[in-house]
Amino acid sequence: MEHKHHYTGLSDAQVIESRRQYGENVLTPPEKEPLWKAFLEKFTDPIIIILLVALVLSIGVSCYDFFSERGTVSVFLEPAGILIAVLLATVVGFCFELSANKKFEVLNKVNDDTMVKVIRNGNICQIPKKEVVVGDIVILETGEEVPADGELLEAVSLQINESTLTGEPVIKKTTRPADFNKDATYPSNHALKGTTVADGHGIMQVLKVGDATEYGKVYEGAQIDSSVETPLNRQLDRLADLITKSSYAIAVLIVAGRLITWFVGMESFDWLLFGGYFLKTVMIAVTVIVVAVPEGLPMSVTLSLALSMKRMLSTNNLVRKMHACETMGATTVICTDKTGTLTQNQMQIYRTNFYGLKDRQLADDEISCLIKEGIAVNSTAYLDFSDRAKVRALGNPTEGALLLWLHEQQINYLPLREDAEIVEQLTFSTERKYMATVVQSPLMGKKVLYVKGAPEIVLSMCSEIPVSESEIHAQLLQYQNQAMRTLGFACRMVTDDEVCIREGRLSPDLRLRFLGIVAISDPIRAEVPEAVKNCLNAGISVKIVTGDTPGTAREIGRQIGLWQENEPDAHHLSGAEFAAMSDRELSEKILPMKILSRARPMDKQRLVQLLQQKDQVVAVTGDGTNDAPALNVAQVGLSMGDGTSVAKEASDITILDNSFSSISRAVMWGRSLYQNIQRFILFQMTINVAACLIVLIGAFLGTESPLTVTQMLWVNLIMDTFAALALASLPPNPGVMNEKPRKTSDHIISRPMVKSILSAGLLFVVLLFGLVQYFKHADITSLTQFDVAEFGRNFFNFSPGNGLSSYELALFFTIFVLLQFWNMFNAKAFMTGKSAFFHLNECKGFLSIATVILAGQWLIVTTGGEMFNVIPLKPVDWGIILGTTSVVLWIGELLRWIRK
C-alpha cells in the first residue's frame, strides 16, 4: 500500500548548506580540443590549401626576381599580402566557429534550466533543474526527466525508461521491499538522473547531484550537432564543385594561351626568361583559381545561419540545431497538435454537469464528497500557492483546471489527497484514455475506486447512470462542437476482496456509478487564424493531429480557418480509420487530409514518414513524450516551451511561447535566409565571371593582368566577407510568404540569377577591357582628361602601347571594386521588387557595412603602396569614380522599375 505523507522539504538555509557540501546539479563539461589545434585544422580546408599553393608559387616568383637582381625586397610584398589574406581567412573562420561553439554551449545549458517541481519550506514550487540539491524532495510525473539520483519515497504505477543508462526501456519502480527486483542493475526504489518517467508518478528524495550521479559518471559531453548535411549544403557543394572545375579549365586555357603567345613571338630561346615567364603564367592561372573559388561562401552561410539563430530567438524560436533555420524555409507540410499551439493552453472549467448535485455547488452530502475527493486524489496535478493572488496549476493543465475549480469552491485539495491512502492507481495514458485510483477514503469510510477520462470510455464501464445516455451524449456533442474538452467521472465502492486493476487495466467485470461530465475550454490563440492563413498562402499544408474527438478537431479547424463549411469528409480521418488503412491506401489520402482526430502516439510518426515518402518536407510540433518519435523523424521538430524534456531533446527548434504564429515566422526566416544566400552568390559570381574573363582575355592578348593577386584577394576574401555580412544582415522579407515552397532539387542558382550574373559580368568585362585598352594608349594622370572618343578608338587597338602607369593601375583597381560595390546594392534588391536605394532606411546594418567597404577601399588605395600596386588617387577622381560607377545601381533601379 502506498501511503501519502506530508513533506516539508528543505529550508532555505538547508539548501545553501547542501549546495556548499555536495555541489551544484550540473555536469562538468568534457575536456575540449585545444584552441591551437582547432585553429590549425582551418588550414586543412580545400580553399585554404589552394591559397597556400598560391603562396608557395608567389614566393618562388619573388625569389627569382630578387635573386636575379630584377627587383628589390619589395617583390616579397605580394606573397606577404597572400600570407596576410590566408591568416585573415583562417582567423575569421576560426573566430566565427568559436563564437558558434559558445552559442551551442549556451543552448546545451538550456536543459539545466528546465523547471522541476520540488517541496521546500512546506510548499510545492518550481526551480531550475540545476538548482536541485541533495536532500530535496522532488515530484516526478509522466514524461519528465529525473533531475538527479535519489531514493523513492512514493511510487504509484511508476515505470522509468532507463535506456540512457542500461538500455532497458521500461523498469518498474516501487517502494515496497517485497517487490524489489534483486537482478536489477540499479535498486528498484531508486530513480536516476537522465532517465525519464514512462508512466505513473512518484516522489523522490535526492541523494546525488551533478558529477556524482550515475549519469555523470558516464557523461561524455555530447554537444549539439551543427554538421548536419542539409539540402542547402548539398546545393552549395555542387556549386563549389562546378566552379572549381570551371576555374581549372580556364586556368589550363590561360597557360596554353600564354605559352602560344610566347612561342609565336620568340626570336631566340632563353631558359631563364622562359622560366620566369612560365612561373608568371602559372601565377596568373593560380590567380584565376583563387578568384573563381567562392572563398566567402562558407563564411556567408555560417554568418547567415548564426544571425538567423540570434534573431529568431527574439521571435520566440530557440533554434537548437543550426540547420533547422534553413530547413524551415523549405517546409511543405506542418503537422501541428492542438493544445498549447493553436489554443492558449489555459484550461478552465466551462461548465460542470454532476448529476444529483444541487445548484452545481459542492456541499457535505455523499455526491459532493465523492466529487471533491475524486478530483483531489485521482490526479497528478498540483497547485502552487507561492503567489496567493494568482494560484498556478502545475502539471497536467486539464487536471490543474479541476483543482483550480475546487479552489474556487473554497476547497483545498491537498488535505483530501494526503488523508486518502492510495491502494493502487492507473495513471492516464493515451492508450487507455482514462485514469483510475483506488483509495482508502476517510470521507466514505471504505475503499473507493475513482475513474475519470474520455466520457464515452467511462460511460461504457457504468451500469448506474442517473440520466438517459441520450441526454449525456447530447450534452457532450454540444460541448465538443464548441471545441471543448470533456471528461467523464465515475466511482465504485470497493470491497476488500475485489480486484480492481489487472494487467494495466481496470477489471472488465467492474461496473461503475456515473457521476457526471465536465466541459473544459481552451480558447484559440488570437493570432493563430492569421498565422495559418499566412502558411496556406505560402503553399504550406497545415494538418491538425490531435487526440481529441472529431467534432472538437473540426471546430478548432473551422475557428482557425483550416476547415471550411463545405469541406469534404475525406479530408478528415479518425485514428481508427488511419490505423486500419494500408500505407498504399493512405498515400492517396494524406496530402489532401487536413485533420487526424483521436490519433494515437504512433499515428503521428507514421503520418510524417508517409508524407516524406511523397517528397514532402515536414515540420512537426509536439510537447509530449509521445511526440518524440514524430519529432525525431521529421525534417524539423518543433517542441513547445513548456513541453516535456523528452520532446525538447528530440526537437530542432523550441517554440518558447508555444504559439503557431512563431512557427510561421520561422518559415519566413528560413525562406529569407535562403534568399540572402542566393543574393550573396549573385554578388560573388558576378565578380568571379568578370575577373576570370579579364585575366583570360589578358592572357590571350599577351598582356599582364591589371589586377594583382593581392588586389584580387582583397576583393575575394575581405570585401566578400563584409558583403556576406551586409547581405546576411538584411531583415526577413514578409513577401516570401506569398511564394510556394522551393523544391529541394532546385539548383541554388536560378535562371534569373544566371541572366543577371552573365549580363552584369559581361558588361563589366567590356567596360574594364576598354579601360585597359584606353590606359595602354593614353597617359592619364586624372579622369578629368578622359576622352570618350579616344576610348572608342582604342578599344580594338591591340598594339602593345605604353602599358599602364601606377596611377592608371590604381584607377583600374578602384573602378573594378566600386563596380562590384554598387552591384552589391543590386544584389540586395534582387527578388524583392523594391528599390535598392530608396529603401536603405529599412536596413541600416547593410548601409553601415557598405560604408566600411568603401572606407576600406580608400584606405588600401591611399596606404597600400607597392603591396597592392597602387598609389593615392586625387579627390576629384574619387568623386568621378563614385559617380560614374553608380550607373550600375541606376541601371538596376531602372530595370526594377520597368519590371513593376
Side-chain angles (χ1 to χ4, degrees), residues 58-79:
S58 178
I59 291 173
V61 172
S62 298
C63 287
Y64 171 78
D65 286 342
F66 181 74
F67 291 111
S68 63
E69 298 182 355
R70 296 186 180 186
T72 63
V73 71
S74 63
V75 297
F76 290 102
L77 290 174
E78 189 168 276

Side-chain angles (χ1 to χ4, degrees), residues 722-847:
F722 282 112
L725 186 60
L727 294 170
S729 69
L730 294 177
N733 175 21
V736 298
M737 296 301 286
N738 297 322
E739 302 171 3
K740 300 301 180 186
R742 79 176 194 270
K743 296 179 180 178
T744 54
S745 59
D746 289 347
H747 201 286
I748 197 166
I749 299 182
S750 61
R751 288 188 177 181
M753 289 175 67
V754 172
K755 292 179 181 178
S756 180
I757 291 169
L758 292 180
S759 58
L762 291 174
L763 177 63
F764 293 165
V765 168
V766 170
L767 176 60
L768 294 169
F769 176 73
L771 282 174
V772 172
Q773 292 294 87
Y774 178 69
F775 288 157
K776 279 168 55 178
H777 299 91
D779 187 14
I780 297 296
T781 58
S782 173
L783 287 178
T784 55
Q785 302 171 278
F786 191 83
D787 187 333
V788 176
E790 190 70 19
F791 177 86
R793 284 194 294 271
N794 286 321
F795 192 89
F796 295 104
N797 185 354
F798 299 121
S799 61
N802 301 321
L804 274 64
S805 67
S806 296
Y807 195 83
E808 289 168 339
L809 286 171
L811 286 172
F812 183 88
F813 175 48
T814 303
I815 290 170
F816 177 80
V817 169
L818 289 191
L819 284 173
Q820 314 309 328
F821 172 79
W822 293 114
N823 193 48
M824 184 176 67
F825 286 77
N826 287 332
K828 166 190 169 292
F830 186 71
M831 294 184 291
T832 65
K834 293 182 179 180
S835 166
F837 183 78
F838 295 106
H839 288 84
L840 287 176
N841 60 321
E842 298 177 2
C843 38
K844 295 179 181 178
F846 177 90
L847 190 58

